Amino acid sequence: MTMLDLDYKRKVVALKEQKNAVILAHNYQLPEVQDVADFIGDSLALSKNAATTDADVIVFCGVHFMAETASILCPEKKVLIPDLEAGCSLASTINVHELQAWKAEHPDAVVVSYVNTTADVKALSDYCCTSSNAVKVVNSIPRDREVLFLPDLFLGSYVAEVTKRKNMYIWPGECHVHAGIKADDINKMLATFKNADFLVHPECSCTSSAMYHMSKGDLAKTGHILSTEGMMKHARASDAKQFVVATETGILYRMQKENPDKEFIPIKRDAVCKYMKKITLEKVYNSLAHNVYEVKVPKDVADRARLAIDRMLAIS
């Protein structure tokens, strides 16, 4: 950490106390941003932390749809995102008009949306889901009902493979990071690091392709599909000294920090989300100092989106 970063860190810590603020950082954030965060984790878990905090201000260091979800779950709090350009290539693959047209083609279908979607899209959905509970959500729907699953092609294909559902339609969206993770890439890494544990994080969007390849039997080794905390616990408890990790590379900082005597190897070193990396420590300071940029979901949209999220939570 540079002297400038240390200065910003001191200023951020002081402003947090002064403004009764909490900083939430996604696993993909830069190390220096993670270091000033009160909570580090996945998008929905961070939003649940936001909903239970006593803070007046939430600085969400993630991407825009995550800040929207925090705003939906805690409308009385001020939710800030340090950079408005921190979007999501997966969430942007479908908009409200496209979903409305798709629903019109399947008027009796149940719509299941991955959390990597905008608030407007969630408001038109019947259920939300994460990678770790998508199978459970789809299995809760009567098998004679059509399902529209969006927007992740890989996650949808994985769910269809596991549930063996024939009346499930999948939107052809993809994350720019996980689209580049192929079965051949994974098998080459597993062959190189034969004794390494293979960890797959189910709630990181860029691992849904790995989950799909696992379900199809395309991989040389079965991975451990674990939540963030599950991965951390496994890494601490495992006798393995090497771990091959299928996810965006940002999570490796936290894993290495908690297990300095072990080696964590990314499936692909260029599996980097450029949108997550837009948020810097300087921007976190600017956000706190000037109350920018506030993310507020209109009440009618938030109420409908919250229903889809609550249905998911009730199943989980």
Side-chain angles (χ1 to χ4, degrees):
M1 186 175 283
T2 66
M3 291 301 294
L4 185 60
D5 283 340
L6 285 170
D7 186 44
Y8 278 125
K9 183 176 181 179
R10 284 192 290 267
K11 289 177 178 177
V12 166
V13 170
L15 278 172
K16 274 200 302 181
E17 186 173 350
Q18 179 185 327
K19 296 196 171 190
N20 189 28
V22 65
I23 296 176
L24 310 181
H26 192 273
N27 286 313
Y28 296 172
Q29 289 293 296
L30 293 168
E32 56 268 28
V33 173
Q34 291 189 36
D35 284 343
V36 297
D38 299 286
F39 300 101
I40 306 168
D42 296 313
S43 58
L44 198 61
L46 290 176
S47 294
K48 288 163 79 174
N49 281 328
T52 58
T53 182
D54 293 329
D56 298 315
V57 179
I58 296 164
V59 181
F60 210 118
C61 299
V63 292
H64 198 268
F65 80 81
M66 298 178 186
E68 282 187 331
T69 305
S71 177
I72 289 166
L73 292 176
C74 34
E76 76 288 354
K77 300 182 189 301
K78 179 176 285 188
V79 178
L80 305 174
I81 188 166
D83 191 326
L84 282 175
E85 292 186 2
C88 172
S89 59
L90 178 59
S92 66
T93 60
I94 188 167
N95 60 40
V96 169
H97 304 297
E98 290 169 326
L99 180 51
Q100 287 172 333
W102 201 26
K103 289 179 69 171
E105 294 172 6
H106 303 271
D108 296 321
V110 177
V111 179
V112 179
S113 292
Y114 189 28
V115 290
N116 292 46
T117 46
T118 64
D120 287 342
V121 167
K122 287 183 176 74
L124 286 176
S125 306
D126 298 294
Y127 293 89
C128 281
C129 73
T130 65
S131 302
S132 61
N133 63 25
V135 169
K136 188 179 288 188
V137 169
V138 170
N139 274 334
S140 75
I141 299 166
R143 293 194 74 83
D144 61 342
R145 294 288 300 276
E146 289 185 338
V147 174
L148 303 183
F149 190 96
L150 62 100
D152 191 321
L153 169 65
F154 292 109
L155 181 60
S157 299
Y158 165 76
V159 173
E161 180 71 23
V162 172
T163 63
K164 305 300 180 187
R165 201 173 188 110
K166 303 301 181 186
N167 56 351
M168 184 169 158
Y169 300 88
I170 302 163
W171 190 260
E174 61 182 25
C175 159
H176 76 285
V177 177
H178 80 227
I181 298 177
K182 311 293 186 186
D184 284 348
D185 298 322
I186 298 172
N187 281 330
K188 284 176 184 175
M189 291 296 287
L190 295 179
T192 303
F193 301 98
K194 293 184 175 64
N195 297 320
D197 269 5
F198 178 37
L199 304 183
V200 179
H201 191 317
E203 291 188 11
C204 293
S205 60
C206 71
T207 61
S208 54
S209 58
M211 293 165 66
Y212 173 64
H213 292 312
M214 283 169 59
S215 72
K216 295 287 288 182
D218 296 337
L219 302 186
K221 180 189 288 189
T222 300
H224 301 279
I225 301 178
L226 298 164
S227 67
T228 300
E229 293 314 311
M231 288 180 79
M232 298 303 168
K233 288 177 182 175
H234 182 88
R236 285 193 296 267
S238 175
D239 292 332
K241 291 298 182 184
Q242 286 184 326
F243 301 81
V244 172
V245 185
T247 183
E248 204 267 2
T249 59
I251 200 173
L252 300 178
Y253 173 71
R254 182 183 173 197
M255 299 184 82
Q256 194 69 69
K257 190 175 179 180
E258 293 192 13
N259 302 275
D261 59 332
K262 297 180 180 181
E263 184 181 10
F264 298 92
I265 305 144
I267 280 292
K268 291 191 76 179
R269 295 195 180 277
D270 61 352
V272 176
C273 177
K274 63 182 180 181
Y275 299 106
M276 284 284 185
K277 302 303 189 277
K278 282 185 174 293
I279 294 175
T280 63
L281 197 52
E282 181 180 0
K283 289 177 182 177
V284 174
Y285 164 73
N286 184 60
S287 184
L288 269 171
H290 304 291
N291 292 319
V292 293
Y293 299 90
E294 185 168 6
V295 176
K296 191 71 177 174
V297 178
K299 187 178 185 306
D300 61 324
V301 174
D303 287 345
R304 286 182 287 129
R306 192 180 301 112
L307 181 60
I309 294 170
D310 287 343
R311 282 175 177 161
M312 174 191 69
L313 295 176
I315 291 168
S316 300

